[in-house]
Amino acid sequence: MKVLRILAVLLLVARAFAAQLPAQPPATGSITGHVFLGDSHLPARMAYVTLLPAMAAGAGDKNPTGGFALVQTGLDGAFVMPNVLPGSYYLIGMKRGYSLPAPDLNGDFSNIDKAPQDVKDALTVAVAANRVTTANIVLSRGAVIAGAVRFDDGEPAIEARVSLLRKDKSGKWAESQDGADSENSTDDEGNFRIANLSPGEYLLRTTLVLSGAEVRIPGMGSPNDPDYHWDIYFGDGIRPSDAKTIKLKEGEQSNGNTIEIPLARLHSISGTVINLETGAPINRADVELHNADDDSTCTVTAISATGQFHFPFVAEGEYTLKVRKAADVAPGSRSHDEKPLRTYADASQPLIVKGEASGITIQVKPQAPSADAIAQ
């Protein structure tokens, strides 16, 4: 009986769904074509072709004109996309080793409508009902950046994170997703190779990651992010302003790009955040380290329950220490959902790193309790 009841419910659901469908399916078209390799002029075998809807014309109209599809080419480089709703689409070919269009989007094709107009025009195809649209795609060979990450005593940095930065539309360096399907970490000899890159100018960096122990104490939540990060750039770049850029042409391979981690120029920094009025340590805050020249954030750490902060390694240079989200919470609690007993104003102070430094004190000023806190 139970099975019959389930079948009856499914039948009702199916009927309700069918009632919402149009009496006749809409007329569709299709897209067919070939994908070629621009460097060899051979078919792009087993490549991927994706179809994304262009936004409907009209100010403020963000509804797409149709669906989307993803297919692979055959051994002759041919592809077919049947049953495509009429409308305007972007047709994009993809194959490892070949660059993607619109590199400014960092591989995020959900924002393809923000690409330059000439890029959109080159990718656009129109589909009409009961018609076949033919479109061929030529892939451009991607550029390559290869090199190694090593400590200055010669030891290879194994499984080190390697990433690229590229200037965004505002002219600021931002992490690029070009080459994201490459293995962007070093091998057992410290070597790396980042492929699929678009022509342009890049910054190359490695990120030192130190994983902290996630200690669980009864009554105390675990830390949000136990990892500590610090970036080192190619070209004597312990600071971004010292980094050396790498310029690539289409299909070019740039070899021998070694990032050296200067152990003698990395130092441990630690201190305590205290109440300006009482001199007592507080028990919750984020301590940020910013570059003094452009105020960019280098790294962030949380203080301990006794108000202490620790940066395991910081490159020599001039910085600003900033304290944010400072508060006192009930002992034994680290939950960010708990209301603090007292909050503090943000604070900052300059810091020049030339060697190991401990005993740094940052004072934060108590804030007056809010009206809500007084009411409670």
Side-chain angles (χ1 to χ4, degrees):
M1 294 295 294
K2 184 176 181 180
V3 173
L4 291 177
R5 285 197 298 270
I6 293 174
L7 289 175
V9 171
L10 291 175
L11 181 60
L12 290 173
V13 172
R15 286 177 177 174
F17 179 74
Q20 298 175 3
L21 297 177
Q24 294 183 346
T28 61
S30 62
I31 303 175
T32 184
H34 288 78
V35 181
F36 299 96
L37 305 177
D39 52 340
S40 66
H41 307 293
L42 294 173
R45 303 177 177 98
M46 317 302 286
Y48 289 94
V49 181
T50 186
L51 189 71
L52 300 174
M55 294 302 175
D61 187 355
K62 296 185 178 181
N63 295 317
T65 58
F68 64 92
L70 177 67
V71 299
Q72 263 188 299
T73 61
L75 297 181
D76 58 354
F79 68 92
V80 177
M81 291 181 173
N83 305 319
V84 179
L85 292 172
S88 182
Y89 296 86
Y90 301 120
L91 190 67
I92 303 169
M94 297 174 289
K95 185 176 177 66
R96 186 166 186 175
Y98 292 80
S99 58
L100 294 172
D104 289 342
L105 300 179
N106 285 337
D108 182 7
F109 291 119
S110 63
N111 293 321
I112 188 67
D113 274 283
K114 297 179 182 179
Q117 190 60 47
D118 60 334
V119 173
K120 293 191 291 185
D121 291 343
L123 300 175
T124 300
V125 296
V127 177
N130 303 314
R131 292 183 178 274
V132 177
T133 298
T134 302
N136 293 329
I137 301 172
V138 178
L139 301 179
S140 298
R141 185 72 187 181
V144 175
I145 294 178
V149 181
R150 307 191 187 284
F151 296 96
D152 58 4
D153 60 4
E155 178 189 354
I158 299 171
E159 294 185 351
R161 295 182 185 178
V162 182
S163 56
L164 295 173
L165 286 81
R166 188 182 177 114
K167 286 187 178 179
D168 59 18
K169 291 182 178 179
S170 66
K172 295 182 179 180
W173 291 102
E175 185 164 354
S176 172
Q177 295 303 312
D178 264 18
D181 61 346
S182 298
E183 187 60 39
N184 292 359
S185 61
T186 59
D187 61 18
D188 61 333
E189 294 182 342
N191 300 317
F192 67 88
R193 184 177 186 273
I194 306 175
N196 311 350
L197 301 175
S198 304
E201 190 174 17
Y202 295 88
L203 288 183
L204 173 65
R205 75 180 177 193
T206 187
T207 302
L208 303 179
V209 181
L210 187 63
S211 296
E214 188 171 348
V215 180
R216 294 185 178 272
I217 301 174
M220 181 180 291
S222 62
N224 284 340
D225 184 2
D227 292 343
Y228 178 79
H229 304 79
W230 191 268
D231 294 331
I232 303 290
Y233 294 82
F234 169 67
D236 194 29
I238 59 172
R239 298 169 63 80
S241 57
D242 301 325
K244 180 181 178 181
T245 61
I246 301 175
K247 296 181 180 180
L248 297 175
K249 298 178 181 178
E250 182 176 310
E252 180 182 5
Q253 178 155 330
S254 177
N255 297 316
N257 302 291
T258 299
I259 304 175
E260 188 173 82
I261 301 171
L263 296 171
R265 300 170 67 188
L266 297 174
H267 308 292
S268 172
I269 305 297
S270 60
T272 308
V273 182
I274 64 173
N275 184 322
L276 172 66
E277 296 180 351
T278 66
I282 68 172
N283 63 7
R284 179 186 293 173
D286 288 338
V287 182
E288 303 176 357
L289 198 61
H290 291 240
N291 285 305
D293 53 358
D294 61 3
D295 200 40
S296 58
T297 303
C298 299
T299 193
V300 180
T301 188
I303 65 171
S304 68
T306 57
Q308 296 176 329
F309 63 90
H310 180 225
F311 297 105
F313 36 79
V314 173
E316 293 177 355
E318 297 184 13
Y319 300 94
T320 302
L321 273 172
K322 296 186 179 183
V323 178
R324 302 187 188 278
K325 303 177 183 177
D328 285 320
V329 298
S333 174
R334 295 292 291 175
S335 170
H336 282 267
D337 295 329
E338 180 158 338
K339 294 182 179 179
L341 303 175
R342 175 178 291 174
T343 59
Y344 297 84
D346 293 346
S348 65
Q349 64 186 51
L351 175 68
I352 299 177
V353 177
K354 294 182 178 179
E356 306 291 307
S358 61
I360 297 172
T361 299
I362 307 177
Q363 298 177 325
V364 289
K365 184 178 181 179
Q367 292 180 318
S370 64
D372 292 340
I374 295 174
Q376 295 177 358

